[in-house]
Coordinates of all heavy atoms in Angstrom, one line a residue:
M1 N 14.3 -5.4 2.6 CA 13.0 -5.1 2.0 C 12.0 -6.1 2.6 O 12.2 -7.3 2.6 CB 13.0 -5.2 0.5 CG 11.6 -5.0 -0.1 SD 11.5 -5.1 -1.9 CE 12.2 -3.6 -2.3
L2 N 10.8 -5.6 3.0 CA 9.7 -6.4 3.5 C 8.6 -6.4 2.5 O 8.3 -5.4 1.9 CB 9.2 -5.9 4.8 CG 10.2 -5.8 6.0 CD1 9.6 -5.1 7.2 CD2 10.7 -7.2 6.3
K3 N 8.0 -7.6 2.2 CA 6.9 -7.7 1.3 C 5.8 -8.4 2.0 O 6.0 -9.3 2.7 CB 7.3 -8.5 0.0 CG 8.0 -7.7 -0.9 CD 8.2 -8.5 -2.2 CE 8.8 -7.6 -3.3 NZ 8.8 -8.2 -4.6
K4 N 4.5 -8.0 1.6 CA 3.4 -8.7 2.2 C 2.3 -8.7 1.1 O 2.0 -7.7 0.5 CB 2.8 -8.0 3.4 CG 1.7 -8.7 4.1 CD 1.2 -8.0 5.3 CE 2.0 -8.5 6.5 NZ 1.4 -8.1 7.8
C5 N 1.8 -9.9 0.8 CA 0.6 -10.1 -0.1 C -0.6 -10.0 0.6 O -0.9 -10.7 1.6 CB 0.7 -11.4 -0.8 SG 2.1 -11.6 -1.9
L6 N -1.5 -9.1 0.2 CA -2.8 -8.9 0.8 C -3.8 -9.4 -0.2 O -3.8 -9.1 -1.3 CB -3.0 -7.4 1.1 CG -1.9 -6.7 1.9 CD1 -2.0 -5.2 1.8 CD2 -1.9 -7.2 3.3
H7 N -4.8 -10.2 0.3 CA -5.8 -10.8 -0.5 C -7.2 -10.3 -0.1 O -7.4 -9.9 1.0 CB -5.8 -12.3 -0.4 CG -4.5 -12.9 -0.8 ND1 -4.2 -13.1 -2.2 CD2 -3.4 -13.3 -0.1 CE1 -3.0 -13.7 -2.3 NE2 -2.5 -13.8 -1.0
G8 N -8.0 -10.3 -1.1 CA -9.4 -9.8 -0.9 C -9.6 -8.4 -1.3 O -8.6 -7.7 -1.8
P9 N -10.8 -7.9 -1.0 CA -11.0 -6.5 -1.4 C -10.2 -5.5 -0.5 O -10.3 -5.5 0.7 CB -12.5 -6.3 -1.1 CG -12.9 -7.4 -0.2 CD -11.9 -8.5 -0.4
N10 N -9.3 -4.8 -1.2 CA -8.5 -3.8 -0.5 C -9.0 -2.4 -0.7 O -9.6 -2.1 -1.7 CB -7.0 -3.9 -0.9 CG -6.4 -5.3 -0.6 OD1 -6.2 -5.5 0.6 ND2 -6.2 -6.1 -1.5
Q11 N -8.8 -1.6 0.3 CA -9.3 -0.2 0.3 C -8.5 0.7 -0.6 O -7.5 1.3 0.0 CB -9.5 0.3 1.7 CG -10.4 -0.5 2.5 CD -11.9 -0.5 2.0 OE1 -12.3 0.5 1.5 NE2 -12.6 -1.6 2.1
L12 N -8.7 0.8 -1.8 CA -8.0 1.7 -2.7 C -8.8 2.9 -3.2 O -8.5 3.5 -4.2 CB -7.3 1.0 -3.9 CG -6.2 0.0 -3.5 CD1 -5.7 -0.7 -4.8 CD2 -5.1 0.7 -2.8
K13 N -10.0 3.1 -2.6 CA -10.8 4.2 -3.0 C -10.2 5.5 -2.4 O -9.3 5.4 -1.7 CB -12.2 3.9 -2.6 CG -12.8 2.7 -3.2 CD -14.3 2.7 -3.1 CE -15.0 1.4 -3.6 NZ -14.5 0.8 -4.8
A14 N -10.8 6.6 -2.8 CA -10.2 7.9 -2.5 C -9.9 8.1 -1.0 O -8.8 8.5 -0.7 CB -11.1 9.0 -3.0
Q15 N -10.9 8.0 -0.1 CA -10.6 8.3 1.3 C -9.7 7.4 2.0 O -8.7 7.8 2.6 CB -12.0 8.4 2.0 CG -12.7 9.7 1.7 CD -14.0 9.8 2.5 OE1 -14.6 8.9 2.9 NE2 -14.4 11.1 2.8
P16 N -9.9 6.1 1.8 CA -8.9 5.1 2.4 C -7.5 5.3 1.8 O -6.5 5.2 2.5 CB -9.4 3.8 2.1 CG -10.9 4.0 1.9 CD -11.0 5.3 1.3
A17 N -7.4 5.6 0.5 CA -6.1 5.8 -0.1 C -5.4 7.0 0.4 O -4.2 7.0 0.6 CB -6.3 5.9 -1.6
A18 N -6.2 8.1 0.7 CA -5.6 9.3 1.2 C -5.1 9.1 2.6 O -4.0 9.6 2.9 CB -6.7 10.4 1.3
K19 N -5.7 8.3 3.4 CA -5.2 7.9 4.7 C -4.0 7.1 4.6 O -3.0 7.3 5.4 CB -6.3 7.1 5.5 CG -7.5 8.0 6.0 CD -8.4 7.1 6.8 CE -9.7 7.9 7.1 NZ -10.7 7.1 7.8
F20 N -3.9 6.2 3.7 CA -2.7 5.4 3.4 C -1.6 6.3 3.1 O -0.4 6.1 3.6 CB -3.0 4.3 2.4 CG -1.8 3.5 2.1 CD1 -1.6 2.3 2.8 CD2 -0.9 3.8 1.1 CE1 -0.5 1.5 2.6 CE2 0.2 3.0 0.9 CZ 0.4 1.8 1.6
V21 N -1.8 7.2 2.1 CA -0.7 8.0 1.6 C -0.2 8.9 2.8 O 1.0 9.1 2.9 CB -1.1 8.9 0.4 CG1 -0.1 10.0 0.1 CG2 -1.4 8.0 -0.8
K22 N -1.1 9.5 3.6 CA -0.7 10.3 4.7 C 0.2 9.5 5.7 O 1.2 10.0 6.1 CB -1.9 10.9 5.4 CG -1.6 11.8 6.5 CD -2.8 12.4 7.1 CE -2.5 13.4 8.2 NZ -3.7 13.9 8.9
A23 N -0.2 8.3 6.0 CA 0.6 7.4 6.9 C 1.9 7.1 6.2 O 2.9 7.1 6.9 CB -0.2 6.2 7.2
A24 N 1.9 6.7 5.0 CA 3.1 6.3 4.3 C 4.2 7.4 4.3 O 5.4 7.1 4.4 CB 2.8 5.8 2.8
N25 N 3.7 8.6 4.2 CA 4.6 9.7 4.1 C 5.2 10.1 5.5 O 6.2 10.9 5.6 CB 4.0 11.0 3.5 CG 4.0 10.9 2.0 OD1 5.0 10.9 1.4 ND2 2.8 10.8 1.4
Q26 N 4.8 9.4 6.5 CA 5.3 9.6 7.9 C 6.6 8.8 8.1 O 7.3 9.0 9.0 CB 4.3 9.3 9.0 CG 3.0 10.1 8.9 CD 3.3 11.5 9.1 OE1 4.0 11.9 10.1 NE2 2.7 12.4 8.3
F27 N 6.8 7.9 7.2 CA 8.0 7.0 7.3 C 9.1 7.3 6.3 O 8.8 7.9 5.2 CB 7.5 5.5 7.0 CG 6.5 5.0 8.0 CD1 5.2 4.9 7.7 CD2 6.9 4.6 9.3 CE1 4.3 4.5 8.6 CE2 6.0 4.2 10.2 CZ 4.7 4.1 9.9
L28 N 10.3 7.0 6.7 CA 11.5 7.3 5.8 C 11.6 6.2 4.7 O 12.2 6.5 3.7 CB 12.7 7.3 6.7 CG 12.8 8.4 7.7 CD1 14.1 8.2 8.6 CD2 12.8 9.8 7.1
S29 N 11.1 5.0 5.0 CA 11.2 3.9 4.0 C 10.5 4.2 2.7 O 9.5 5.0 2.7 CB 10.6 2.7 4.7 OG 11.3 2.2 5.8
E30 N 11.0 3.5 1.7 CA 10.3 3.6 0.4 C 9.1 2.6 0.4 O 9.2 1.5 1.0 CB 11.3 3.1 -0.7 CG 10.7 3.0 -2.1 CD 11.7 2.5 -3.1 OE1 12.9 2.8 -3.0 OE2 11.2 1.9 -4.1
V31 N 8.0 3.1 0.0 CA 6.8 2.2 0.0 C 6.3 2.1 -1.4 O 6.1 3.1 -2.1 CB 5.7 2.9 0.9 CG1 4.4 2.2 0.9 CG2 6.2 3.2 2.3
T32 N 6.0 0.8 -1.8 CA 5.5 0.6 -3.1 C 4.3 -0.4 -3.0 O 4.2 -1.2 -2.1 CB 6.5 0.0 -4.1 OG1 7.0 -1.2 -3.6 CG2 7.6 0.9 -4.4
L33 N 3.4 -0.2 -3.9 CA 2.2 -1.1 -4.0 C 2.2 -1.7 -5.4 O 2.5 -1.0 -6.4 CB 0.9 -0.4 -3.8 CG 0.7 0.1 -2.4 CD1 -0.5 1.1 -2.3 CD2 0.5 -1.1 -1.4
E34 N 1.8 -3.0 -5.5 CA 1.8 -3.7 -6.8 C 0.5 -4.4 -6.9 O 0.1 -5.1 -6.0 CB 3.0 -4.6 -7.0 CG 3.0 -5.2 -8.4 CD 4.2 -6.1 -8.5 OE1 5.2 -6.0 -7.7 OE2 4.2 -6.9 -9.5
K35 N -0.2 -4.3 -8.1 CA -1.4 -5.0 -8.3 C -1.5 -5.3 -9.8 O -1.3 -4.4 -10.6 CB -2.6 -4.1 -7.9 CG -3.9 -4.8 -7.9 CD -5.0 -4.0 -7.3 CE -6.3 -4.7 -7.1 NZ -7.4 -3.8 -6.6
G36 N -1.7 -6.5 -10.2 CA -1.8 -6.9 -11.6 C -0.6 -6.6 -12.4 O -0.7 -6.2 -13.6
G37 N 0.6 -6.7 -11.7 CA 1.9 -6.4 -12.4 C 2.2 -4.9 -12.6 O 3.2 -4.6 -13.1
H38 N 1.4 -4.1 -12.1 CA 1.6 -2.6 -12.1 C 2.1 -2.1 -10.7 O 1.4 -2.3 -9.8 CB 0.3 -1.9 -12.5 CG 0.4 -0.5 -12.8 ND1 1.1 0.0 -13.9 CD2 0.0 0.6 -12.1 CE1 1.1 1.3 -13.9 NE2 0.4 1.7 -12.9
R39 N 3.3 -1.6 -10.7 CA 3.9 -1.2 -9.4 C 3.9 0.3 -9.4 O 4.3 1.0 -10.3 CB 5.3 -1.7 -9.4 CG 6.0 -1.5 -8.1 CD 7.3 -2.2 -8.1 NE 7.7 -2.4 -6.7 CZ 8.7 -3.1 -6.3 NH1 9.5 -3.6 -7.1 NH2 8.9 -3.3 -5.0
V40 N 3.5 0.9 -8.2 CA 3.5 2.3 -8.0 C 4.1 2.8 -6.7 O 4.2 2.0 -5.7 CB 2.0 2.9 -8.1 CG1 1.4 2.5 -9.5 CG2 1.2 2.3 -7.0
N41 N 4.4 4.0 -6.6 CA 4.9 4.7 -5.4 C 3.7 4.7 -4.4 O 2.7 5.4 -4.6 CB 5.4 6.1 -5.7 CG 5.9 6.8 -4.5 OD1 5.8 6.4 -3.4 ND2 6.4 8.0 -4.8
G42 N 3.9 4.2 -3.2 CA 2.9 4.2 -2.2 C 2.7 5.5 -1.5 O 1.8 5.6 -0.6
K43 N 3.5 6.5 -1.8 CA 3.5 7.8 -1.1 C 2.8 8.8 -2.0 O 2.8 10.0 -1.8 CB 4.8 8.2 -0.7 CG 5.5 7.4 0.4 CD 6.8 7.9 0.9 CE 7.3 7.1 2.0 NZ 8.5 7.6 2.6
S44 N 2.3 8.3 -3.2 CA 1.7 9.2 -4.2 C 0.2 8.8 -4.3 O -0.1 7.7 -4.8 CB 2.4 9.1 -5.5 OG 1.6 9.7 -6.6
M45 N -0.7 9.8 -4.1 CA -2.1 9.6 -4.2 C -2.5 9.2 -5.6 O -3.3 8.3 -5.9 CB -2.9 10.8 -3.7 CG -4.4 10.6 -3.7 SD -4.9 9.4 -2.5 CE -6.6 9.5 -2.7
M46 N -2.0 9.9 -6.6 CA -2.3 9.7 -8.0 C -1.8 8.3 -8.4 O -2.6 7.6 -9.1 CB -1.6 10.7 -8.9 CG -2.2 12.1 -8.7 SD -4.0 12.2 -9.0 CE -4.0 11.9 -10.8
S47 N -0.7 7.9 -8.0 CA -0.2 6.5 -8.3 C -1.1 5.5 -7.7 O -1.4 4.5 -8.4 CB 1.2 6.3 -7.8 OG 2.1 7.2 -8.4
I48 N -1.5 5.6 -6.5 CA -2.4 4.6 -5.9 C -3.7 4.6 -6.6 O -4.3 3.5 -6.8 CB -2.5 4.9 -4.4 CG1 -1.2 4.6 -3.7 CG2 -3.6 4.0 -3.8 CD1 -1.2 4.8 -2.2
M49 N -4.2 5.7 -7.0 CA -5.5 5.7 -7.7 C -5.4 4.9 -9.0 O -6.5 4.4 -9.5 CB -6.0 7.1 -7.9 CG -6.4 7.8 -6.6 SD -7.4 6.9 -5.4 CE -8.9 6.7 -6.3
E50 N -4.3 4.9 -9.6 CA -4.1 4.1 -10.8 C -4.4 2.6 -10.6 O -4.9 1.9 -11.4 CB -2.7 4.2 -11.4 CG -2.3 5.5 -11.9 CD -0.8 5.5 -12.4 OE1 -0.3 4.5 -12.7 OE2 -0.3 6.6 -12.3
L51 N -4.0 2.1 -9.4 CA -4.2 0.7 -9.0 C -5.7 0.4 -8.8 O -6.1 -0.8 -9.0 CB -3.4 0.4 -7.8 CG -2.0 0.3 -7.9 CD1 -1.3 -0.1 -6.6 CD2 -1.5 -0.6 -9.0
A52 N -6.5 1.4 -8.5 CA -7.9 1.1 -8.3 C -8.6 0.6 -9.5 O -9.6 -0.1 -9.4 CB -8.6 2.4 -7.8
N53 N -8.1 0.8 -10.7 CA -8.6 0.4 -11.9 C -8.3 -1.1 -12.2 O -8.9 -1.7 -13.1 CB -8.1 1.2 -13.1 CG -8.6 2.7 -13.0 OD1 -9.7 2.9 -12.5 ND2 -7.8 3.6 -13.4
H54 N -7.4 -1.7 -11.5 CA -7.0 -3.1 -11.7 C -8.0 -4.0 -10.9 O -8.2 -3.7 -9.7 CB -5.6 -3.3 -11.3 CG -4.6 -2.6 -12.2 ND1 -4.2 -3.2 -13.4 CD2 -4.1 -1.4 -12.2 CE1 -3.4 -2.3 -14.0 NE2 -3.3 -1.3 -13.3
T55 N -8.5 -5.0 -11.5 CA -9.5 -5.8 -10.8 C -8.9 -7.0 -10.0 O -9.7 -7.7 -9.3 CB -10.5 -6.4 -11.9 OG1 -9.8 -7.2 -12.8 CG2 -11.3 -5.3 -12.5
E56 N -7.6 -7.3 -10.1 CA -7.0 -8.4 -9.4 C -7.2 -8.1 -7.9 O -7.2 -7.0 -7.4 CB -5.5 -8.5 -9.7 CG -5.2 -8.9 -11.1 CD -5.3 -7.7 -12.1 OE1 -5.5 -6.6 -11.7 OE2 -5.2 -8.0 -13.3
E57 N -7.4 -9.2 -7.2 CA -7.6 -9.1 -5.7 C -6.3 -9.1 -4.9 O -6.3 -8.6 -3.8 CB -8.5 -10.3 -5.2 CG -9.9 -10.1 -5.7 CD -10.9 -11.0 -4.9 OE1 -10.5 -11.6 -3.9 OE2 -12.0 -11.2 -5.4
E58 N -5.2 -9.6 -5.5 CA -3.9 -9.6 -4.7 C -3.2 -8.3 -4.9 O -3.0 -7.8 -6.0 CB -3.0 -10.7 -5.3 CG -1.7 -10.8 -4.5 CD -0.8 -11.9 -5.0 OE1 -0.1 -11.7 -6.0 OE2 -0.8 -13.0 -4.3
L59 N -2.9 -7.7 -3.7 CA -2.1 -6.5 -3.7 C -0.8 -6.7 -2.9 O -0.9 -7.3 -1.8 CB -3.0 -5.4 -2.9 CG -2.4 -4.0 -2.7 CD1 -2.3 -3.3 -4.1 CD2 -3.2 -3.2 -1.8
I60 N 0.3 -6.3 -3.5 CA 1.6 -6.6 -2.8 C 2.1 -5.2 -2.3 O 2.3 -4.3 -3.0 CB 2.6 -7.2 -3.8 CG1 2.0 -8.5 -4.3 CG2 3.9 -7.3 -3.1 CD1 2.9 -9.1 -5.4
L61 N 2.3 -5.2 -1.0 CA 2.9 -4.0 -0.3 C 4.4 -4.3 0.0 O 4.7 -5.3 0.6 CB 2.1 -3.8 1.0 CG 2.7 -2.8 2.0 CD1 2.8 -1.4 1.4 CD2 2.0 -2.8 3.3
S62 N 5.2 -3.4 -0.5 CA 6.7 -3.6 -0.2 C 7.2 -2.3 0.5 O 6.8 -1.2 0.1 CB 7.4 -3.7 -1.6 OG 7.0 -4.8 -2.3
V63 N 8.0 -2.5 1.5 CA 8.6 -1.4 2.3 C 10.0 -1.7 2.4 O 10.5 -2.8 2.8 CB 7.9 -1.3 3.7 CG1 8.4 -0.1 4.4 CG2 6.4 -1.3 3.5
D64 N 10.8 -0.7 2.1 CA 12.3 -0.8 2.2 C 12.9 0.4 2.9 O 12.7 1.5 2.4 CB 12.9 -1.0 0.8 CG 14.3 -1.4 0.8 OD1 14.8 -1.9 1.9 OD2 15.0 -1.1 -0.2
G65 N 13.6 0.2 4.0 CA 14.3 1.3 4.6 C 14.4 1.0 6.1 O 14.1 0.0 6.6
E66 N 14.9 2.0 6.8 CA 15.3 1.8 8.2 C 14.1 1.6 9.1 O 14.2 1.0 10.2 CB 16.2 3.0 8.7 CG 15.5 4.4 8.7 CD 16.4 5.5 9.0 OE1 17.3 5.8 8.2 OE2 16.2 6.1 10.1
D67 N 13.0 2.1 8.8 CA 11.8 2.0 9.6 C 10.7 1.0 9.0 O 9.5 1.1 9.2 CB 11.1 3.3 10.0 CG 10.8 4.2 8.8 OD1 11.0 3.7 7.7 OD2 10.3 5.3 9.0
A68 N 11.2 0.1 8.2 CA 10.4 -0.8 7.4 C 9.4 -1.6 8.2 O 8.3 -1.8 7.8 CB 11.2 -1.7 6.5
A69 N 9.9 -2.2 9.3 CA 9.1 -3.1 10.1 C 7.8 -2.3 10.7 O 6.7 -2.8 10.6 CB 9.9 -3.7 11.3
L70 N 8.1 -1.2 11.2 CA 6.9 -0.4 11.8 C 6.0 0.1 10.6 O 4.8 0.0 10.7 CB 7.4 0.8 12.5 CG 6.4 1.8 13.1 CD1 5.5 1.0 14.1 CD2 7.0 2.9 13.8
A71 N 6.6 0.5 9.5 CA 5.8 1.0 8.4 C 4.9 -0.2 7.9 O 3.8 0.0 7.6 CB 6.7 1.5 7.3
M72 N 5.5 -1.4 7.8 CA 4.7 -2.5 7.3 C 3.5 -2.8 8.2 O 2.4 -3.0 7.7 CB 5.6 -3.8 7.2 CG 4.9 -5.0 6.7 SD 4.2 -4.9 5.0 CE 5.7 -5.1 4.0
D73 N 3.7 -2.8 9.5 CA 2.7 -3.0 10.4 C 1.5 -2.0 10.3 O 0.4 -2.4 10.2 CB 3.2 -3.0 11.9 CG 4.0 -4.2 12.3 OD1 3.9 -5.2 11.6 OD2 4.7 -4.1 13.3
V74 N 1.9 -0.7 10.2 CA 0.9 0.3 10.2 C 0.2 0.3 8.8 O -1.1 0.3 8.7 CB 1.6 1.7 10.4 CG1 0.6 2.9 10.1 CG2 2.1 1.8 11.8
L75 N 0.9 0.2 7.7 CA 0.4 0.3 6.4 C -0.5 -0.9 6.0 O -1.5 -0.8 5.4 CB 1.4 0.6 5.4 CG 2.2 1.9 5.6 CD1 3.4 2.0 4.6 CD2 1.3 3.1 5.5
S76 N 0.0 -2.1 6.4 CA -0.8 -3.3 6.1 C -2.1 -3.3 6.8 O -3.2 -3.7 6.3 CB 0.0 -4.6 6.4 OG 0.3 -4.7 7.7
S77 N -2.2 -2.7 8.0 CA -3.4 -2.6 8.8 C -4.4 -1.6 8.1 O -5.6 -1.9 8.1 CB -3.2 -2.3 10.2 OG -2.8 -0.9 10.4
L78 N -3.8 -0.6 7.5 CA -4.7 0.4 6.8 C -5.3 -0.2 5.5 O -6.3 0.2 5.1 CB -3.9 1.6 6.5 CG -3.6 2.6 7.6 CD1 -2.6 3.7 7.2 CD2 -4.8 3.1 8.2
L79 N -4.6 -1.2 5.0 CA -5.1 -1.9 3.8 C -6.1 -3.0 4.1 O -6.5 -3.7 3.2 CB -4.0 -2.3 2.9 CG -3.1 -1.3 2.3 CD1 -1.9 -1.8 1.6 CD2 -4.0 -0.5 1.3
G80 N -6.4 -3.2 5.3 CA -7.4 -4.2 5.7 C -6.9 -5.5 6.0 O -7.6 -6.5 6.2
E81 N -5.6 -5.7 6.2 CA -5.0 -7.0 6.6 C -5.4 -7.4 8.0 O -5.6 -8.6 8.2 CB -3.5 -6.9 6.6 CG -2.8 -8.2 6.9 CD -2.9 -9.3 5.9 OE1 -3.5 -9.1 4.8 OE2 -2.5 -10.4 6.2
E82 N -5.7 -6.5 8.9 CA -6.0 -6.8 10.3 C -7.5 -6.7 10.5 O -8.0 -5.9 11.2 CB -5.3 -5.8 11.2 CG -3.8 -5.7 11.0 CD -3.0 -6.8 11.6 OE1 -3.5 -7.4 12.6 OE2 -1.9 -7.0 11.2
R83 N -8.3 -7.5 9.9 CA -9.8 -7.5 10.0 C -10.2 -8.5 11.1 O -9.7 -9.5 11.2 CB -10.4 -7.8 8.7 CG -10.2 -6.6 7.8 CD -11.1 -6.8 6.6 NE -10.6 -5.8 5.6 CZ -11.2 -5.5 4.5 NH1 -12.2 -6.2 4.2 NH2 -10.7 -4.6 3.7

């Protein structure tokens, strides 16, 4: 399992979240996001939108599976890690 903590304003609004979900569903790995102690399925738009209500700045991206390394690179960049 790979984990990455992302700090600062992360893009969890509707359009960026939709791009994230679309990308996450291209991978076989399990993708989860955690913010403020609330953990959700990173492949579900409704679940990700739940996190938008949490004001904490730290977002934890976890990826577990056979293509986890590639998934982590792609998904963390979509969340603004690569600015």
Side-chain angles (χ1 to χ4, degrees):
M1 175 183 283
L2 300 175
K3 281 189 172 187
K4 185 177 272 191
C5 291
L6 307 166
H7 298 280
N10 294 292
Q11 299 296 325
L12 291 178
K13 299 199 185 318
Q15 287 183 330
K19 288 180 185 179
F20 180 89
V21 169
K22 184 176 180 180
N25 279 296
Q26 300 298 313
F27 297 103
L28 298 173
S29 294
E30 178 181 328
V31 177
T32 58
L33 291 170
E34 183 177 347
K35 190 174 185 183
H38 190 68
R39 188 175 204 175
V40 299
N41 178 356
K43 295 184 177 184
S44 166
M45 183 66 178
M46 292 302 292
S47 295
I48 290 178
M49 293 312 295
E50 289 177 30
L51 290 183
N53 295 326
H54 293 273
T55 59
E56 293 81 5
E57 288 194 15
E58 182 178 81
L59 180 69
I60 301 171
L61 170 63
S62 301
V63 184
D64 188 23
E66 61 186 71
D67 55 0
L70 179 59
M72 180 62 79
D73 288 342
V74 170
L75 299 174
S76 64
S77 69
L78 287 172
L79 291 173
E81 180 68 6
E82 308 278 339
R83 289 188 193 187

